[in-house]
Amino acid sequence: QVQLVESGGGLAQPGGSLRLSCAASGSIFRINAMGWYRQVPGKQRELVATITRGGSTNYADSVKGRFTISRDNAKNTVYLQMNSLKPEDTAVYYCNADLISGSEYVIANYWGQGTQVTVSS
């Protein structure tokens, strides 16, 4: 079974930094796009940043200039460097990937379990 596991969440002060990681494991043929989403209670899950296999990135306006998404294709891992954190960044952050598993011939979408990020003084 393919799994995405996030790590690196926790508590940070406003203006501080956190680095999230998401490692995909299992029988994976190829990972195409990967991304980070976040969700707060009572609100819809929103896109934070995405990155293609080739390294093209896209960011939500709210995080542009503060967050950086990157990936290590050899490790099937995507990262989110979060700088200049604000209280409104507080959310559960979810890793997402479009990938082809070893037993499929089509792209499927997978989600991680989420990691809590809290920004508070």
Coordinates of all heavy atoms in Angstrom, one line a residue, residues 44-108:
Q44 N -12.8 24.8 4.5 CA -12.4 23.9 3.5 C -10.9 23.8 3.4 O -10.2 24.7 3.8 CB -12.9 24.4 2.1 CG -14.4 24.4 1.9 CD -14.8 24.9 0.6 OE1 -14.3 25.8 0.0 NE2 -15.8 24.2 0.0
R45 N -10.5 22.6 3.0 CA -9.1 22.4 2.8 C -8.6 23.3 1.7 O -9.2 23.3 0.6 CB -8.8 21.0 2.6 CG -7.3 20.6 2.6 CD -7.1 19.1 2.5 NE -7.7 18.4 3.7 CZ -7.7 17.1 3.9 NH1 -7.0 16.3 3.1 NH2 -8.3 16.6 5.0
E46 N -7.5 24.0 1.8 CA -7.0 24.9 0.8 C -5.6 24.5 0.4 O -4.8 24.0 1.2 CB -7.0 26.3 1.3 CG -6.0 26.6 2.4 CD -6.0 28.1 2.8 OE1 -6.6 28.9 2.1 OE2 -5.3 28.4 3.8
L47 N -5.3 24.8 -0.9 CA -4.0 24.6 -1.4 C -3.0 25.6 -0.8 O -3.3 26.8 -0.7 CB -4.0 24.7 -2.9 CG -2.7 24.4 -3.7 CD1 -3.1 23.8 -5.0 CD2 -2.0 25.7 -3.9
V48 N -1.8 25.1 -0.5 CA -0.7 25.9 0.0 C 0.3 26.0 -1.1 O 0.7 27.1 -1.5 CB -0.1 25.3 1.3 CG1 1.1 26.2 1.7 CG2 -1.1 25.3 2.4
A49 N 0.8 24.9 -1.6 CA 1.8 24.9 -2.6 C 1.9 23.6 -3.3 O 1.5 22.6 -2.8 CB 3.2 25.2 -2.0
T50 N 2.2 23.6 -4.6 CA 2.4 22.4 -5.4 C 3.7 22.4 -6.1 O 4.3 23.5 -6.4 CB 1.3 22.2 -6.4 OG1 1.2 23.3 -7.3 CG2 -0.1 22.0 -5.7
I51 N 4.2 21.3 -6.5 CA 5.4 21.2 -7.3 C 5.3 20.0 -8.2 O 4.9 18.9 -7.8 CB 6.7 21.1 -6.3 CG1 8.0 21.1 -7.1 CG2 6.6 19.8 -5.4 CD1 9.2 21.3 -6.3
T52 N 5.7 20.2 -9.4 CA 5.7 19.1 -10.4 C 7.0 18.3 -10.3 O 7.9 18.6 -9.6 CB 5.6 19.6 -11.8 OG1 6.8 20.3 -12.2 CG2 4.4 20.5 -12.0
R53 N 7.0 17.1 -11.0 CA 8.1 16.3 -11.0 C 9.4 17.0 -11.5 O 10.5 16.8 -11.0 CB 7.9 15.0 -11.8 CG 9.0 14.0 -11.7 CD 8.6 12.7 -12.4 NE 8.5 12.9 -13.8 CZ 7.4 12.9 -14.5 NH1 6.2 12.8 -13.9 NH2 7.4 13.1 -15.8
G54 N 9.1 17.9 -12.4 CA 10.2 18.7 -13.0 C 10.6 19.9 -12.2 O 11.6 20.6 -12.6
G55 N 9.9 20.2 -11.1 CA 10.3 21.3 -10.2 C 9.5 22.6 -10.4 O 9.8 23.6 -9.7
S56 N 8.5 22.6 -11.2 CA 7.7 23.8 -11.4 C 6.8 24.0 -10.1 O 6.2 23.0 -9.7 CB 6.8 23.8 -12.6 OG 7.7 23.8 -13.8
T57 N 6.7 25.2 -9.6 CA 6.0 25.4 -8.3 C 4.9 26.4 -8.5 O 4.9 27.2 -9.4 CB 7.0 25.9 -7.2 OG1 7.6 27.2 -7.7 CG2 8.1 24.9 -7.0
N58 N 3.9 26.3 -7.6 CA 2.8 27.1 -7.5 C 2.5 27.4 -6.1 O 2.4 26.4 -5.3 CB 1.6 26.6 -8.3 CG 0.4 27.5 -8.3 OD1 0.6 28.7 -8.7 ND2 -0.7 27.1 -7.9
Y59 N 2.2 28.6 -5.7 CA 1.9 28.9 -4.3 C 0.6 29.7 -4.2 O 0.2 30.5 -5.0 CB 3.0 29.8 -3.7 CG 4.3 29.1 -3.6 CD1 5.3 29.3 -4.7 CD2 4.7 28.4 -2.5 CE1 6.5 28.7 -4.6 CE2 6.0 27.8 -2.5 CZ 6.8 27.9 -3.5 OH 8.1 27.3 -3.5
A60 N -0.1 29.5 -3.0 CA -1.2 30.3 -2.7 C -0.7 31.7 -2.4 O 0.4 31.9 -1.9 CB -1.9 29.8 -1.4
D61 N -1.5 32.7 -2.7 CA -1.1 34.1 -2.5 C -0.7 34.4 -1.1 O 0.2 35.2 -0.8 CB -2.2 35.1 -3.0 CG -2.3 35.1 -4.5 OD1 -1.4 34.7 -5.2 OD2 -3.4 35.5 -4.9
S62 N -1.4 33.7 -0.1 CA -1.2 34.0 1.3 C 0.2 33.5 1.8 O 0.6 34.0 2.8 CB -2.3 33.3 2.1 OG -2.3 31.9 1.9
V63 N 0.8 32.6 1.1 CA 2.1 32.1 1.5 C 3.3 32.5 0.6 O 4.4 32.2 0.9 CB 2.1 30.6 1.7 CG1 0.9 30.2 2.6 CG2 2.0 29.9 0.4
K64 N 3.0 33.1 -0.5 CA 4.0 33.4 -1.5 C 5.0 34.4 -0.9 O 4.7 35.4 -0.3 CB 3.3 34.1 -2.7 CG 4.2 34.1 -4.0 CD 3.4 34.6 -5.2 CE 2.3 33.6 -5.5 NZ 1.6 34.0 -6.8
G65 N 6.3 34.0 -1.1 CA 7.4 34.8 -0.5 C 7.8 34.4 0.9 O 8.8 34.8 1.3
R66 N 7.0 33.5 1.5 CA 7.3 33.1 2.9 C 7.6 31.6 2.9 O 8.4 31.1 3.7 CB 6.2 33.4 3.8 CG 5.9 34.9 4.0 CD 4.8 35.1 5.1 NE 3.6 34.5 4.8 CZ 3.0 33.6 5.6 NH1 3.6 33.2 6.7 NH2 1.8 33.1 5.3
F67 N 6.8 30.8 2.1 CA 7.0 29.4 2.1 C 7.7 28.9 0.8 O 7.6 29.6 -0.3 CB 5.6 28.7 2.1 CG 4.9 28.8 3.4 CD1 5.3 29.6 4.4 CD2 3.7 28.1 3.6 CE1 4.6 29.8 5.6 CE2 3.0 28.2 4.7 CZ 3.4 29.1 5.7
T68 N 8.4 27.8 0.9 CA 9.1 27.3 -0.3 C 8.9 25.8 -0.3 O 9.2 25.1 0.7 CB 10.6 27.6 -0.2 OG1 10.9 29.0 -0.2 CG2 11.3 27.0 -1.5
I69 N 8.4 25.3 -1.4 CA 8.2 23.9 -1.6 C 9.3 23.3 -2.4 O 9.8 24.0 -3.4 CB 6.8 23.6 -2.3 CG1 6.5 22.1 -2.2 CG2 6.8 24.1 -3.7 CD1 5.1 21.7 -2.7
S70 N 9.8 22.1 -2.1 CA 10.9 21.5 -2.8 C 10.6 20.0 -2.7 O 9.8 19.5 -2.0 CB 12.2 21.9 -2.3 OG 12.4 21.5 -0.9
R71 N 11.4 19.2 -3.5 CA 11.3 17.8 -3.5 C 12.6 17.1 -3.8 O 13.4 17.7 -4.5 CB 10.2 17.3 -4.5 CG 10.4 17.6 -5.9 CD 9.2 17.3 -6.8 NE 9.0 15.9 -6.9 CZ 7.9 15.4 -7.5 NH1 6.9 16.2 -8.0 NH2 7.7 14.1 -7.6
D72 N 12.7 15.9 -3.3 CA 13.8 15.0 -3.6 C 13.2 13.8 -4.3 O 12.7 12.9 -3.6 CB 14.6 14.7 -2.4 CG 15.8 13.9 -2.6 OD1 15.9 13.2 -3.7 OD2 16.7 13.9 -1.8
N73 N 13.3 13.7 -5.6 CA 12.7 12.6 -6.3 C 13.3 11.3 -6.0 O 12.6 10.3 -6.0 CB 12.8 12.9 -7.8 CG 11.9 14.0 -8.3 OD1 10.9 14.4 -7.7 ND2 12.3 14.6 -9.5
A74 N 14.6 11.3 -5.7 CA 15.2 10.0 -5.4 C 14.7 9.4 -4.1 O 14.7 8.2 -3.8 CB 16.7 10.2 -5.3
K75 N 14.2 10.3 -3.2 CA 13.7 9.9 -1.9 C 12.2 9.9 -1.8 O 11.6 9.6 -0.8 CB 14.3 10.8 -0.8 CG 15.8 10.7 -0.6 CD 16.2 11.6 0.5 CE 17.7 11.5 0.7 NZ 18.2 12.4 1.8
N76 N 11.5 10.2 -2.9 CA 10.1 10.3 -2.9 C 9.6 11.2 -1.8 O 8.6 10.9 -1.1 CB 9.4 8.9 -2.9 CG 9.6 8.1 -4.1 OD1 9.8 8.7 -5.2 ND2 9.6 6.8 -4.0
T77 N 10.2 12.3 -1.6 CA 9.9 13.2 -0.5 C 9.7 14.6 -1.0 O 10.4 15.1 -1.9 CB 11.0 13.2 0.5 OG1 11.2 11.8 1.0 CG2 10.7 14.1 1.7
V78 N 8.7 15.3 -0.4 CA 8.4 16.7 -0.7 C 8.6 17.5 0.7 O 8.3 16.9 1.7 CB 7.1 16.9 -1.3 CG1 5.9 16.5 -0.3 CG2 6.9 18.4 -1.7
Y79 N 9.1 18.7 0.6 CA 9.3 19.5 1.7 C 8.5 20.8 1.6 O 8.2 21.3 0.5 CB 10.8 19.8 1.9 CG 11.7 18.6 1.9 CD1 12.3 18.2 0.7 CD2 11.9 17.9 3.1 CE1 13.1 17.1 0.7 CE2 12.8 16.8 3.1 CZ 13.3 16.4 1.9 OH 14.2 15.3 1.9
L80 N 8.3 21.4 2.8 CA 7.7 22.7 2.8 C 8.4 23.5 3.9 O 8.3 23.3 5.1 CB 6.2 22.7 3.1 CG 5.5 24.1 3.1 CD1 5.4 24.6 1.6 CD2 4.1 24.0 3.7
Q81 N 9.3 24.5 3.4 CA 10.0 25.4 4.3 C 9.1 26.5 4.6 O 8.7 27.3 3.7 CB 11.3 25.8 3.7 CG 12.1 26.8 4.6 CD 12.6 26.1 5.9 OE1 13.1 25.0 5.8 NE2 12.4 26.8 7.0
M82 N 8.7 26.7 5.9 CA 7.8 27.8 6.3 C 8.5 28.8 7.1 O 8.9 28.5 8.2 CB 6.6 27.2 7.0 CG 6.0 26.0 6.4 SD 4.9 25.0 7.5 CE 3.6 26.1 7.9
N83 N 8.7 30.0 6.5 CA 9.3 31.1 7.2 C 8.4 32.2 7.5 O 7.3 32.3 6.9 CB 10.5 31.6 6.4 CG 11.6 30.6 6.1 OD1 11.8 29.7 7.0 ND2 12.3 30.7 5.0
S84 N 8.8 33.1 8.3 CA 7.9 34.3 8.7 C 6.5 33.9 9.0 O 5.5 34.4 8.5 CB 7.9 35.3 7.5 OG 9.2 35.7 7.2
L85 N 6.4 32.9 9.9 CA 5.1 32.3 10.2 C 4.2 33.3 10.9 O 4.6 34.1 11.7 CB 5.3 31.1 11.1 CG 5.7 29.8 10.3 CD1 6.2 28.8 11.3 CD2 4.6 29.2 9.5
K86 N 2.9 33.2 10.6 CA 1.9 34.0 11.1 C 0.8 33.2 11.8 O 0.7 32.0 11.5 CB 1.2 34.8 10.0 CG 2.1 35.7 9.2 CD 1.3 36.3 8.0 CE 2.2 37.2 7.2 NZ 1.4 37.8 6.1
P87 N 0.1 33.7 12.8 CA -0.9 33.0 13.5 C -1.9 32.4 12.5 O -2.4 31.2 12.8 CB -1.5 34.0 14.4 CG -0.4 34.9 14.7 CD 0.3 35.1 13.4
E88 N -2.2 33.0 11.4 CA -3.2 32.5 10.5 C -2.7 31.3 9.7 O -3.4 30.7 8.9 CB -3.7 33.6 9.5 CG -2.5 34.4 8.9 CD -2.3 35.7 9.6 OE1 -2.2 35.7 10.9 OE2 -2.1 36.7 8.9
D89 N -1.4 31.0 9.8 CA -0.9 29.8 9.2 C -1.2 28.5 10.1 O -1.0 27.4 9.6 CB 0.6 29.9 9.1 CG 1.1 30.9 8.1 OD1 0.4 31.1 7.1 OD2 2.1 31.6 8.4
T90 N -1.8 28.7 11.2 CA -2.1 27.6 12.1 C -3.2 26.7 11.4 O -4.2 27.2 11.0 CB -2.7 28.1 13.4 OG1 -1.7 28.8 14.1 CG2 -3.2 26.9 14.3
A91 N -2.9 25.5 11.3 CA -3.8 24.5 10.6 C -3.2 23.1 10.6 O -2.0 23.0 11.1 CB -3.9 25.0 9.1
V92 N -3.9 22.2 10.2 CA -3.4 20.9 9.9 C -2.9 20.9 8.5 O -3.7 21.2 7.6 CB -4.4 19.8 10.2 CG1 -3.9 18.4 9.8 CG2 -4.9 19.7 11.6
Y93 N -1.7 20.5 8.3 CA -1.1 20.5 7.0 C -1.1 19.1 6.4 O -0.6 18.1 7.1 CB 0.3 21.1 7.0 CG 0.3 22.6 7.1 CD1 -0.1 23.2 8.3 CD2 0.7 23.4 6.0 CE1 -0.1 24.6 8.4 CE2 0.7 24.8 6.1 CZ 0.2 25.4 7.3 OH 0.2 26.7 7.4
Y94 N -1.6 18.9 5.2 CA -1.7 17.6 4.6 C -0.8 17.5 3.3 O -0.8 18.5 2.5 CB -3.1 17.3 4.2 CG -4.1 17.2 5.3 CD1 -4.8 18.3 5.8 CD2 -4.3 15.9 5.9 CE1 -5.7 18.2 6.9 CE2 -5.2 15.8 7.0 CZ -5.9 16.9 7.4 OH -6.8 16.8 8.5
C95 N -0.1 16.4 3.2 CA 0.6 16.2 2.0 C -0.2 15.5 1.0 O -1.1 14.7 1.3 CB 1.8 15.3 2.4 SG 2.9 14.8 1.0
N96 N 0.0 15.8 -0.3 CA -0.8 15.2 -1.4 C 0.1 14.8 -2.5 O 1.1 15.5 -2.8 CB -1.9 16.2 -1.8 CG -2.7 15.6 -3.0 OD1 -2.4 15.9 -4.1 ND2 -3.7 14.9 -2.6
A97 N -0.2 13.8 -3.2 CA 0.6 13.3 -4.3 C -0.2 12.7 -5.4 O -1.2 11.9 -5.1 CB 1.7 12.4 -3.9
D98 N 0.1 13.0 -6.6 CA -0.5 12.3 -7.8 C 0.6 11.3 -8.2 O 1.7 11.7 -8.6 CB -0.8 13.2 -8.9 CG -2.0 14.1 -8.6 OD1 -2.9 13.6 -7.9 OD2 -2.0 15.2 -9.1
L99 N 0.3 10.0 -8.2 CA 1.4 9.0 -8.5 C 0.8 7.8 -9.2 O -0.4 7.5 -9.1 CB 2.1 8.7 -7.2 CG 1.4 8.0 -6.1 CD1 1.2 6.5 -6.3 CD2 2.1 8.3 -4.8
I100 N 1.7 7.1 -9.8 CA 1.4 5.8 -10.4 C 2.0 4.7 -9.5 O 3.2 4.7 -9.3 CB 1.9 5.7 -11.8 CG1 1.4 6.8 -12.7 CG2 1.6 4.3 -12.4 CD1 2.0 6.9 -14.0
S101 N 1.2 3.8 -8.9 CA 1.7 2.8 -8.1 C 2.2 1.7 -9.0 O 2.1 1.6 -10.2 CB 0.6 2.2 -7.2 OG -0.4 1.5 -7.9
G102 N 2.9 0.7 -8.3 CA 3.5 -0.4 -9.0 C 2.5 -1.3 -9.6 O 2.8 -2.1 -10.5
S103 N 1.2 -1.3 -9.2 CA 0.2 -2.2 -9.7 C -0.9 -1.5 -10.5 O -1.8 -2.2 -10.9 CB -0.5 -2.9 -8.5 OG -1.1 -1.9 -7.6
E104 N -0.7 -0.3 -10.8 CA -1.6 0.5 -11.6 C -1.0 1.1 -12.9 O 0.2 1.3 -12.9 CB -2.3 1.6 -10.8 CG -3.0 1.1 -9.6 CD -4.4 0.5 -9.9 OE1 -4.9 0.7 -11.0 OE2 -4.9 -0.3 -9.1
Y105 N -1.8 1.4 -13.8 CA -1.4 2.1 -15.0 C -2.0 3.5 -15.2 O -1.8 4.1 -16.3 CB -1.7 1.2 -16.3 CG -1.0 -0.1 -16.3 CD1 -1.6 -1.2 -15.8 CD2 0.3 -0.2 -16.8 CE1 -0.9 -2.4 -15.8 CE2 1.0 -1.4 -16.8 CZ 0.3 -2.5 -16.3 OH 1.0 -3.7 -16.3
V106 N -2.6 4.0 -14.2 CA -3.2 5.3 -14.2 C -2.7 6.1 -12.9 O -2.3 5.5 -11.9 CB -4.8 5.3 -14.2 CG1 -5.2 4.6 -15.5 CG2 -5.3 4.5 -13.0
I107 N -2.8 7.4 -13.0 CA -2.5 8.2 -11.9 C -3.6 8.2 -10.9 O -4.7 8.4 -11.2 CB -2.2 9.6 -12.4 CG1 -1.0 9.6 -13.3 CG2 -1.9 10.6 -11.2 CD1 -0.7 11.0 -13.9
A108 N -3.2 8.0 -9.6 CA -4.1 8.1 -8.5 C -3.7 9.2 -7.5 O -2.5 9.5 -7.5 CB -4.3 6.8 -7.8

